[in-house]
Amino acid sequence: MDRHMLASRQLLVALVFALVVGLAATGYALYQEKKQPEGVEISVGKNGLSIKEK
């Protein structure tokens, strides 16, 4: 193989790897968002006591 073809192949492998990592990170972020507990959220802030239903 000549150098141009080798560099081209390495670039393709790097792009595929970056795509897979990006998809995995996005999937994990969506999983964490869905995993939020359901129920009631109680918080105390400058406006006093706040109760929200999730």
Side-chain angles (χ1 to χ4, degrees), residues 4-21:
H4 179 70
M5 191 171 177
L6 187 59
S8 181
R9 184 180 177 107
Q10 287 176 339
L11 179 62
L12 181 62
V13 169
L15 288 174
V16 169
F17 181 74
L19 182 62
V20 169
V21 169

Side-chain angles (χ1 to χ4, degrees), residues 2-48:
D2 63 359
R3 287 181 186 216
H4 179 70
M5 191 171 177
L6 187 59
S8 181
R9 184 180 177 107
Q10 287 176 339
L11 179 62
L12 181 62
V13 169
L15 288 174
V16 169
F17 181 74
L19 182 62
V20 169
V21 169
L23 285 173
T26 302
Y28 181 72
L30 288 173
Y31 168 75
Q32 289 292 7
E33 190 174 315
K34 289 274 188 194
K35 200 176 86 163
Q36 293 293 325
E38 296 195 14
V40 178
E41 176 184 332
I42 302 171
S43 59
V44 180
K46 63 181 179 180
N47 296 330

